[in-house]
């Protein structure tokens, strides 16, 4: 199994450009989420989804859009990139709580984004 | 919502020594506390977790303790090895949500010197 696959691994954008970070999982997990990792700030939740067609905001949603049309895919869109969005982005998936009893996350390898 | 504070931010030990990382949380409804390890260039990976009805849990050289009254929990690594060098994150659950949203601490960079 590939687990959680993120693309691209690295990306450089100019301020104002848009782009989509791709995330796919092959574990049939119901839950998927996006985090950003910044030095000294840990992992902060951007958006999450508890199933196809259902998304919700996390702690730092501004400037990002998501959609979940299938169980497998959860893309993160930056509509107009800003330097403050320079970060490492992680996608994660997990089983719904009724199955696992806890939200055990499987993370992708990350996507490093630089906005100039 | 939940707030999780993690200390220290960096920890340097000699191989064979013990390492302890501590976290405090704010939401008394939190009921699940995982620890994740992130190696260089990789995503975080769960190494151990504990539920609020348990005070301590061990898995070989790692253990986690939970003090619900004081609202803090700790990761203990004994007989450290160079391969334990990584960034460690604690997390607490946003209590009462069906999703089980996790709030992470700031992370601890552990360096084990041979």
């Amino acid at each position: 199994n590939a687990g959680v696959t993120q693309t691209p691994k690295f990306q450089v954008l100019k301020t104002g450009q848009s782009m989509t970070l791709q995330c796919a999982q092959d574990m049939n997990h119901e839950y998927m989420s996006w985090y950003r990792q910044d030095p000294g700030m840990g992992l902060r939740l951007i958006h999450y989804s508890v199933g196809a067609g259902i998304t919700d905001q996390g702690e730092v949603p501004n400037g990002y859009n998501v959609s979940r049309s299938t169980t497998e895919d959860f893309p993160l869109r930056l509509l107009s990139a800003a330097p403050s969005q320079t970060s490492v982005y992680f996608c994660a998936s997990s089983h719904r709580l009724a199955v696992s009893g806890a939200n055990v996350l499987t993370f992708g390898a990350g996507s490093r984004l630089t906005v100039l | 919502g939940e707030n999780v504070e993690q200390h220290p931010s960096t920890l340097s030990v000699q191989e064979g020594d013990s390492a302890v990382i501590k976290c405090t949380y704010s939401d008394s409804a939190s009921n699940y506390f995982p620890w994740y390890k992130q190696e260089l260039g990789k995503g975080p990976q769960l190494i151990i977790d504990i539920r609020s009805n348990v005070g301590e849990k061990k898995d070989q050289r790692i253990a986690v303790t939970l003090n619900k009254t004081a609202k803090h929990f700790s990761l203990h690594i004994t007989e450290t090895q160079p391969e334990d060098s990584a960034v460690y994150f604690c997390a607490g659950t946003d209590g009462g949500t069906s999703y089980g949203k996790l709030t992470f601490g700031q992370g601890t960079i552990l360096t084990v010197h041979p």
Side-chain angles (χ1 to χ4, degrees):
Chain A
N1 281 346
V4 178
T5 303
Q6 291 184 233
T7 55
K9 293 189 183 301
F10 302 95
Q11 183 72 50
V12 179
L13 292 177
K14 294 181 179 179
T15 297
Q17 289 184 317
S18 63
M19 78 156 299
T20 300
L21 299 177
Q22 301 291 345
C23 176
Q25 55 98 1
D26 61 0
M27 297 171 286
N28 203 31
H29 283 170
E30 296 85 357
Y31 296 168
M32 296 187 75
S33 50
W34 277 101
Y35 291 82
R36 60 177 290 173
Q37 182 178 13
D38 302 291
M41 303 189 75
L43 296 156
R44 292 182 292 168
L45 182 64
I46 304 172
H47 285 287
Y48 66 97
S49 169
V50 298
I54 306 170
T55 64
D56 205 347
Q57 296 181 350
E59 180 185 355
V60 288
N62 292 342
Y64 308 95
N65 276 0
V66 292
S67 60
R68 183 103 179 266
S69 57
T70 66
T71 299
E72 295 78 19
D73 300 299
F74 192 44
L76 179 71
R77 298 182 185 85
L78 283 71
L79 302 177
S80 179
S84 60
Q85 294 178 303
T86 293
S87 187
V88 181
Y89 292 85
F90 288 97
C91 179
S93 71
S94 54
H95 273 305
R96 60 188 174 90
L97 295 185
V99 173
S100 67
N103 197 3
V104 178
L105 302 177
T106 299
F107 284 90
S111 297
R112 182 175 293 273
L113 175 66
T114 301
V115 182
L116 303 176
Chain B
E2 175 72 285
N3 183 47
V4 177
E5 297 288 333
Q6 182 173 347
H7 299 281
S9 57
T10 61
L11 180 58
S12 181
V13 300
Q14 289 295 127
E15 182 177 0
D17 288 349
S18 295
V20 180
I21 303 170
K22 299 180 180 180
C23 290
T24 60
Y25 62 98
S26 62
D27 187 351
S28 56
S30 284
N31 57 9
Y32 173 66
F33 305 93
W35 286 88
Y36 284 78
K37 175 183 180 182
Q38 182 181 26
E39 296 177 344
L40 195 61
K42 298 183 178 180
Q45 185 171 12
L46 179 73
I47 56 172
I48 196 168
D49 55 14
I50 192 168
R51 297 177 187 275
S52 58
N53 59 349
V54 175
E56 183 176 4
K57 183 177 178 180
K58 291 183 179 180
D59 183 2
Q60 299 181 10
R61 294 187 298 107
I62 61 173
V64 57
T65 58
L66 171 65
N67 184 325
K68 285 178 58 180
T69 302
K71 289 193 280 188
H72 68 71
F73 56 110
S74 300
L75 177 71
H76 304 255
I77 305 174
T78 59
E79 301 174 17
T80 53
Q81 301 167 3
E83 50 265 40
D84 294 328
S85 296
V87 182
Y88 291 81
F89 292 99
C90 64
T93 313
D94 196 351
T97 65
S98 60
Y99 168 64
K101 191 187 306 181
L102 296 177
T103 298
F104 286 86
Q106 296 84 349
T108 297
I109 301 172
L110 174 64
T111 304
V112 181
H113 298 282

